């Protein structure tokens, strides 16, 4: 079976398959360890039962079997610890290799980017920027030196005019407005009415 970029055609590397095999063996040992614990408990209960029945020799034999299973359990647990450590070590080494490959690839990209921009180019850009700033400062200084107090007052007045235009205020009339006295209409003249004397 051929390999593609370090992986088998099924998508797993040889390292992945080796780790999977070790984990399978570990799981089998855990299952076997559980079975041993059941046997130990069974032999212990049987020894107690035989002792209560006065069958000392048979109880002694059960305890011997129990001790054998306990020794077997200790060896099994020791193998489990070794397998766990091996799995952790292999997986950690894989992570270290992946990190190293990532750093290696990143270093290549960084070198490529650095090659696109040389130190001379950076110095030229910084020099041009400094020259442009200095040129602008020189222009500002020349303008500020040529302005008199009268110029400053004119500028402030123009600013005030611009502000007034933005507010769209109507112009204040500069000539005198005509004044006219209000005309009073003459009321019509009332003619008194003559009354005849009344005879008593």
């Amino acid at each position: 079976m051929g390999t593609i970029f370090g992986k088998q055609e099924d998508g797993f590397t040889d390292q992945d398959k080796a780790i999977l095999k070790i984990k399978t063996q570990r799981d089998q040992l855990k299952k076997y360890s559980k079975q041993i614990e059941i046997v130990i408990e069974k032999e212990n209960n049987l020894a107690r039962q035989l002792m209560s029945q006065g069958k000392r020799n048979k109880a002694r034999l059960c305890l011997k079997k129990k001790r054998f299973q306990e020794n077997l359990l200790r060896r099994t647990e020791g193998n489990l610890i070794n397998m766990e450590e091996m799995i952790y070590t292999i997986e950690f080494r894989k992570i270290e290799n992946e990190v190293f490959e990532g750093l290696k690839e990143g270093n290549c990209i960084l070198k490529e980017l650095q090659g696109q921009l040389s130190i001379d180019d950076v110095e030229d850009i910084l020099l041009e920027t400094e020259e442009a700033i200095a040129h602008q400062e020189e222009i500002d200084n020349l303008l500020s030196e040529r302005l008199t107090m009268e110029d400053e007052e004119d500028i402030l007045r123009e600013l005030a005019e611009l502000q007034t235009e933005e507010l769209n205020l109507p112009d204040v009339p500069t000539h005198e407005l005509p004044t006219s006295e209000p005309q009073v209409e003459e009321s019509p003249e009332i003619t008194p009415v003559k009354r005849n004397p009344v005879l008593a």
Side-chain angles (χ1 to χ4, degrees):
M1 183 179 295
T3 59
I4 301 175
F5 298 105
K7 291 187 177 181
Q8 303 290 340
E9 293 179 356
D10 56 4
F12 294 97
T13 63
D14 293 336
Q15 294 177 348
D16 294 333
K17 292 181 178 180
I19 293 175
L20 180 60
K21 184 177 181 180
I22 295 173
K23 288 183 177 180
T24 302
Q25 293 174 350
R26 176 201 60 189
D27 294 339
Q28 290 177 349
L29 280 177
K30 286 182 178 181
K31 185 177 180 180
Y32 182 60
S33 178
K34 293 291 184 181
Q35 294 175 352
I36 293 175
E37 290 175 355
I38 293 174
V39 173
I40 291 173
E41 184 67 21
K42 181 180 178 181
E43 293 294 339
N44 186 52
N45 292 334
L46 183 58
R48 289 176 180 275
Q49 183 179 355
L50 291 173
M51 282 296 296
S52 63
Q53 296 175 358
K55 300 178 180 178
R56 182 182 178 82
N57 291 332
K58 290 185 177 181
R60 184 166 175 257
L61 179 61
C62 288
L63 292 176
K64 285 184 177 180
K65 291 180 180 179
K66 175 191 169 189
R67 180 57 57 87
F68 174 78
Q69 295 294 330
E70 288 174 346
N71 293 333
L72 186 59
L73 180 61
R74 280 194 294 270
R75 290 197 298 270
T76 303
E77 290 176 346
N79 290 331
L80 275 172
I81 293 173
N82 293 334
M83 280 194 166
E84 291 286 359
E85 290 179 352
M86 183 180 296
I87 291 171
Y88 293 150
T89 301
I90 293 174
E91 290 180 341
F92 182 73
R93 295 303 178 191
K94 281 190 64 179
I95 294 173
E96 282 187 331
N97 290 339
E98 291 175 359
V99 171
F100 175 76
E101 291 297 328
L103 293 174
K104 184 177 178 181
E105 183 177 355
N107 190 33
C108 293
I109 296 174
L110 183 59
K111 287 182 178 179
E112 182 179 351
L113 293 174
Q114 290 175 345
Q116 296 175 2
L117 186 65
S118 64
I119 297 178
D120 294 335
D121 294 336
V122 175
E123 290 178 349
D124 292 340
I125 293 174
L126 292 177
L127 182 59
E128 291 176 0
T129 303
E130 291 177 357
E131 291 177 352
I133 294 173
H135 181 68
Q136 184 61 41
E137 289 179 351
E138 185 177 357
I139 293 175
D140 294 339
N141 292 332
L142 290 174
L143 290 175
S144 61
E145 289 175 0
R146 291 177 182 269
L147 292 177
T148 62
M149 291 297 296
E150 185 179 354
D151 294 329
E152 292 288 349
E153 292 176 358
D154 291 338
I155 291 173
L156 292 176
R157 186 170 55 256
E158 290 179 6
L159 286 175
E161 291 175 357
L162 291 175
Q163 185 176 6
T164 303
E165 291 177 1
E166 289 180 358
L167 294 176
N168 293 323
L169 295 176
D171 295 334
V172 178
T174 58
H175 58 278
E176 293 184 0
L177 296 176
T179 58
S180 61
E181 295 181 358
Q183 296 180 355
V184 179
E185 294 182 357
E186 296 181 357
S187 57
E189 189 173 327
I190 301 174
T191 304
V193 178
K194 292 182 178 181
R195 296 180 180 271
N196 296 321
V198 178
L199 296 178

